[in-house]
Amino acid sequence: MTDAIRRSGLPCRFWETTPLNRMSQNEWEALCDGCGKCCLNKLEDADTGEVALTRIACRLFDDGTCRCAHYEMRQVIVKNCIKLSIGNLEQNLYWLPSTCAYKLLFEGRPLFDWHPLISGKRDSVHAAGVSMQNRTIPEYEICEDDWEDYIIEEPI
């Protein structure tokens, strides 16, 4: 058991034994690896439905910590912010990054070794080069018509 898990009071490797729909709020929140990819603006191709990530982050995204600057109030401040839950997970899978723990577990796949729940280190996601830490541009700096110029390959 990692120190981080022990301090959190969460059961060791709970994600392997607890189905997503039976997780407590603390367990659900702990699945987030802190990569910041869900806070990136995405472009969806109207013909194919394919979703592309951009380097353009939500105005609330803190590029240094890869966290929302106003997490508890995010849906009030950003009207189209999606609060991921077991009730809306399946309909949102298409835009979640391929490394997302929620998506991986929903699809019956294991977490990556760099995931903080596996490594026991909160910044292992950054050390692995998987996060968007120090890689984004705030959405208010780029005209929406130019977002296509900022499409990126997902860091994995």
Side-chain angles (χ1 to χ4, degrees):
M1 179 183 303
T2 67
D3 287 340
I5 297 291
R6 191 177 298 114
R7 283 192 306 270
S8 72
L10 296 173
C12 184
R13 300 183 81 86
F14 66 87
W15 62 93
E16 294 178 339
T17 58
T18 306
L20 288 168
N21 64 351
R22 297 211 186 263
M23 286 187 182
S24 69
Q25 187 62 36
N26 286 343
E27 290 169 330
W28 181 266
E29 292 285 333
L31 291 178
C32 176
D33 60 29
C35 72
K37 294 177 206 168
C38 60
C39 296
L40 299 176
N41 284 289
K42 296 146 192 80
L43 297 174
E44 185 174 354
D45 185 295
D47 296 327
T48 67
E50 186 176 326
V51 175
L53 293 177
T54 70
R55 288 184 39 219
I56 304 165
C58 169
R59 66 180 174 268
L60 298 181
F61 184 67
D62 180 328
D63 186 72
T65 63
C66 278
R67 297 281 182 209
C68 180
H70 298 286
Y71 187 72
E72 295 302 322
M73 294 293 296
R74 69 192 185 280
Q75 292 182 284
V76 173
I77 300 168
V78 178
K79 299 298 181 204
N80 63 348
C81 179
I82 296 171
K83 182 178 180 180
L84 199 60
S85 69
I86 191 61
N88 67 14
L89 179 60
E90 190 168 7
Q91 71 193 44
N92 287 296
L93 285 176
Y94 76 100
W95 64 263
L96 290 174
S98 63
T99 57
C100 178
Y102 302 102
K103 185 174 193 168
L104 291 169
L105 295 177
F106 183 87
E107 294 173 346
R109 297 188 290 148
L111 300 181
F112 289 96
D113 290 342
W114 48 256
H115 193 288
L117 288 173
I118 304 289
S119 71
K121 299 174 188 155
R122 176 50 69 200
D123 21 343
S124 57
V125 65
H126 309 308
V130 180
S131 80
M132 293 307 299
Q133 186 177 48
N134 302 318
R135 298 181 187 194
T136 67
I137 302 165
E139 64 187 1
Y140 52 80
E141 290 185 11
I142 307 295
C143 175
E144 199 168 328
D145 292 340
D146 296 332
W147 283 11
E148 278 189 22
D149 298 338
Y150 294 88
I151 291 175
I152 59 169
E153 293 294 319
E154 183 179 338
I156 54 172

